[in-house]
Amino acid sequence: MKLLMSSSDQHDGEMKRFANCILDVENKNISSAVGDKSEVEISDDLLITTADDHLFHLVDFSYPDLLQAIPDYMYLQSRAIFTPLESVEKVNNFILTIFSGIEKECLSSNTTCQVDKNEDVQQEWFTPKFLNEIKCSELPNHKLTLKPGISIMLLRNMDQTLGLCNETKLIVNELGNNVIGATVVTGRNIDDKVYISRMNLVPSDSGLPFKFQRRQFL
């Protein structure tokens, strides 16, 4: 007897295979050592093989017909681009160019935290320019460039009673000087209209020998 796999079963199977592949990469089960580096062989069906404009093809592959499809919340729930920290800004800036509307730059305020008197690090060593340029996975960047209609994702738990938790996705509706108006598109409070304000954030491990605080939108 021949069993036919439904499209749902096939999708679940593909997702499981992809997840296992990512775990194998993380656990170094499918890598081989080449000198002091590791190489990972990736299946052809997971590769974008076009020779020109790789970023365009990556976004188009992950978000086909983006402008037409984005009002459908299910479209955003099932898609994401995972990228190294150093590439996030490049991908975000490219996606911004797809949307019409006026960009708004949201700048953070950064200060060093009070240190123990016995520590050698002195607050006056760090200029605002130096603090502004710090980027780490736990914090939004000093400069966030946004447009109405784009999708954003929270990096911290903001208000669990409203469903505003880490990795919650939202669609930007309006951009004020001190708040962002947005619609929740994932989680248990889908379609809720919320306002996000700037918050004081201190990374737990920035890899730096001092602590600093960034006041920025999540």
Side-chain angles (χ1 to χ4, degrees), residues 191-207:
D191 212 31
D192 279 5
K193 304 296 188 293
V194 298
Y195 288 93
I196 299 172
S197 59
R198 286 184 172 88
M199 297 183 66
N200 295 327
L201 306 166
V202 179
S204 59
D205 182 14
S206 64

Side-chain angles (χ1 to χ4, degrees), residues 21-125:
C21 177
I22 297 299
L23 288 173
D24 284 338
V25 171
E26 181 180 1
N27 296 327
K28 300 181 179 179
N29 292 333
I30 59 174
S31 63
S32 57
V34 179
D36 59 349
K37 297 181 179 180
S38 295
E39 288 189 353
V40 175
E41 184 175 349
I42 300 175
S43 174
D44 289 343
D45 62 325
L46 298 178
L47 296 175
I48 297 174
T49 58
T50 52
D52 63 318
D53 204 342
H54 301 291
L55 188 53
F56 168 81
H57 289 290
L58 170 63
V59 173
D60 186 58
F61 174 81
S62 304
Y63 293 96
D65 301 318
L66 175 60
L67 295 181
Q68 293 74 26
I70 202 168
D72 179 5
Y73 297 160
M74 291 295 294
Y75 176 85
L76 290 175
Q77 291 172 10
S78 60
R79 290 172 168 81
I81 296 176
F82 292 92
T83 179
L85 182 61
E86 58 269 19
S87 302
V88 169
E89 193 169 356
K90 184 177 181 181
V91 174
N92 287 342
N93 288 340
F94 177 81
I95 292 177
L96 273 175
T97 65
I98 300 174
F99 287 81
S100 59
I102 299 175
E103 293 182 358
K104 183 177 181 62
E105 289 187 352
C106 305
L107 303 180
S108 71
S109 173
N110 298 288
T111 56
T112 52
C113 299
Q114 186 65 43
V115 296
D116 189 278
K117 292 181 179 180
N118 296 324
E119 293 188 21
D120 294 331
V121 177
Q122 302 298 318
Q123 290 181 328
E124 57 268 22
W125 294 351

Side-chain angles (χ1 to χ4, degrees), residues 152-170:
I152 59 176
M153 185 173 69
L154 299 183
L155 299 179
R156 297 283 187 91
N157 292 335
M158 182 177 173
D159 189 333
Q160 294 185 357
T161 60
L162 295 177
L164 299 179
C165 305
N166 181 29
E167 299 186 359
T168 298
K169 291 184 180 180
L170 309 98

